[in-house]
Amino acid sequence: MQRYGSVLELRKDKMDEYKQLHREVWPEILKMIKECNIRNYSIYLGELEKERYYLFSYFEYVGDDFDGDMGKMAADPMTQKWWDLCKPCQRPLETRAEGQWWMDMEEVFHCD
């Protein structure tokens, strides 16, 4: 199992919309997350600077082909529709690596 953390900014004017989307996640999206070997998936929201809101994502990957599973998810038509709704709510960080939307974070400590 591999743990992943990532972050991006949430547009303040889209906060209510984003929260509503995640109160009622489509069953097809939840199914795809599981099919792609993602478990224990959480997204946290915090105001880290005055009037600037950030999302922190955490999940555990239990498969053996991360790139393949992420490709499968990205190719899924329902996932693409879901992302089309979510992406306008988000603002990726300038410091993210090329090709990333959510900026990957390095795990520096873990305790079970």
Side-chain angles (χ1 to χ4, degrees):
M1 186 271 297
Q2 178 67 44
R3 291 178 295 277
Y4 287 88
S6 57
V7 65
L8 57 63
E9 188 173 353
L10 180 65
R11 296 177 186 273
K12 182 182 175 188
D13 62 321
K14 298 284 192 171
M15 187 180 315
D16 290 339
E17 179 181 343
Y18 190 82
K19 285 181 173 183
Q20 182 60 37
L21 283 168
H22 286 81
R23 277 193 287 274
E24 300 173 7
V25 177
W26 303 341
E28 299 90 347
I29 300 304
L30 298 174
K31 181 176 182 272
M32 180 57 60
I33 288 170
K34 289 183 180 176
E35 284 180 13
C36 291
N37 296 301
I38 292 174
R39 304 293 184 271
N40 199 20
Y41 188 15
S42 300
I43 299 174
Y44 297 88
L45 171 64
E47 182 179 9
L48 303 183
E49 301 172 67
K50 185 171 176 53
E51 306 249 348
R52 294 197 64 184
Y53 297 87
Y54 295 85
L55 297 170
F56 171 73
S57 167
Y58 171 84
F59 64 85
E60 297 167 355
Y61 178 72
V62 297
D64 57 12
D65 182 8
F66 183 78
D67 291 338
D69 282 332
M70 296 307 100
K72 174 182 175 177
M73 183 179 291
D76 176 59
M78 288 302 288
T79 299
Q80 291 174 13
K81 289 178 184 179
W82 178 256
W83 289 348
D84 286 345
L85 295 174
C86 291
K87 280 189 172 185
C89 301
Q90 304 165 340
R91 180 179 293 124
L93 303 181
E94 292 179 15
T95 55
R96 74 193 187 279
E98 187 175 333
Q100 290 183 344
W101 184 257
W102 287 75
M103 185 184 83
D104 289 343
M105 300 180 76
E106 176 186 359
E107 181 180 313
V108 295
F109 176 77
H110 176 79
C111 178
D112 276 329

